[in-house]
Amino acid sequence: MGSFDRQKHWEDIYQSKQLEEVSWYQPTPKTSLSFLKQFNIPKDAKIIDVGGGDSLLVDHLIDLGYKYITVLDISESALKRTRQRLGDLANKVKWIVADAATFVATEQYDFWHDRAAFHFLTEEQEIESYLENAQRSIKPDGILVLGTFSEEGPQKCSGIKIKQYSESTMTALLQRFFEKLKCITVNHKTPFETIQQFTFCSFRKLQIDLI
């Protein structure tokens, strides 16, 4: 894996497949939106969608009236496609091309959302870097939502090995920085009529200082 170019891999995916041709496609991201509703996230909250790609979540956030939205993805092609889809509405969003494993935020967020980016981080150093960045970049009392393949879900996605999580393993991994609020298991039906099982967990930032 040392010579694996993760960014090139994802650029190739987004340049060769249409929106409805990828397994993670969902016209309405009901689970993600349900967490926003559950925590009554205000319209002036700063929201970041990590690994957002060309997901339709940003469309729904704009429709709901959220004012401060950031979408991050490793693939510039994915974000370009989303901007083109949104047209002038894309100007309401901040776009960041970065690898979730090495991204360092320059501002703080009230709501950090990640559906299926975190589980691509399989190296301990990448995982630790991600979590430390999230801890620094989420405001006091901020919310973190992670969606990953469950232990009953796929072991690979788009030809890449992923790291599966259960409620207990995800909670244990994040407990230094975050308090678990709620975990659910979600069965996602792909455009190919297959089922992928996800673990979605929400967390609140703990009030600690990193030394």
Side-chain angles (χ1 to χ4, degrees):
M1 288 287 287
S3 61
F4 176 68
D5 188 332
R6 182 154 50 197
Q7 185 170 28
K8 182 181 185 301
H9 176 86
W10 288 110
E11 292 292 1
D12 290 344
I13 293 289
Y14 283 107
Q15 290 171 11
S16 62
K17 293 182 182 293
Q18 296 302 310
L19 177 65
E20 300 86 356
E21 294 177 333
V22 293
S23 63
W24 54 89
Y25 170 70
Q26 48 179 189
T28 304
K30 294 180 181 178
T31 302
S32 301
L33 294 172
S34 71
F35 280 107
L36 281 165
K37 185 175 181 179
Q38 175 189 344
F39 297 113
N40 196 26
I41 303 299
K43 297 300 189 286
D44 61 350
K46 283 194 172 184
I47 297 173
I48 183 167
D49 185 18
V50 175
D54 61 356
S55 160
L56 293 169
L57 177 61
V58 64
D59 305 57
H60 289 272
L61 293 176
I62 293 172
D63 287 345
L64 289 168
Y66 285 98
K67 301 175 183 177
Y68 303 106
I69 308 166
T70 298
V71 180
L72 177 147
D73 201 86
I74 195 171
S75 169
E76 186 171 3
S77 298
L79 297 185
K80 180 180 179 181
R81 209 152 77 176
T82 309
R83 291 197 301 269
Q84 290 175 339
R85 184 180 72 233
L86 290 172
D88 290 342
L89 291 175
N91 296 324
K92 295 177 176 287
V93 180
K94 182 179 290 187
W95 308 93
I96 299 176
V97 178
D99 188 334
T102 56
F103 164 63
V104 177
T106 58
E107 58 185 320
Q108 288 195 311
Y109 304 96
D110 300 284
F111 189 85
W112 177 297
H113 172 268
D114 178 336
R115 174 184 180 261
F118 182 65
H119 66 199
F120 284 106
L121 308 184
T122 58
E123 300 295 328
E124 184 175 340
Q125 184 177 354
E126 292 180 336
I127 295 169
E128 183 69 13
S129 175
Y130 180 105
L131 294 179
E132 288 185 357
N133 183 44
Q135 196 279 338
R136 286 191 301 265
S137 308
I138 295 175
K139 293 181 181 180
D141 292 327
I143 300 296
L144 165 67
V145 172
L146 286 181
T148 71
F149 283 153
S150 76
E151 292 181 342
E152 303 300 322
Q155 295 181 343
K156 287 187 175 183
C157 180
S158 298
I160 306 178
K161 185 178 179 181
I162 60 90
K163 189 173 179 66
Q164 299 170 318
Y165 289 94
S166 65
E167 175 176 349
S168 60
T169 58
M170 190 183 293
T171 302
L173 181 64
L174 273 68
Q175 65 183 354
R176 284 186 299 132
F177 300 144
F178 298 95
E179 171 195 5
K180 183 191 72 179
L181 299 174
K182 180 182 180 181
C183 289
I184 57 175
T185 299
V186 177
N187 288 324
H188 165 64
K189 181 182 285 189
T190 73
F192 324 115
E193 300 297 316
T194 58
I195 299 297
Q196 297 176 334
Q197 189 178 96
F198 278 77
T199 297
F200 269 87
C201 289
S202 56
F203 300 86
R204 191 180 301 278
K205 179 178 173 179
L206 293 173
Q207 300 308 302
I208 60 174
D209 294 319
L210 284 179
I211 297 176

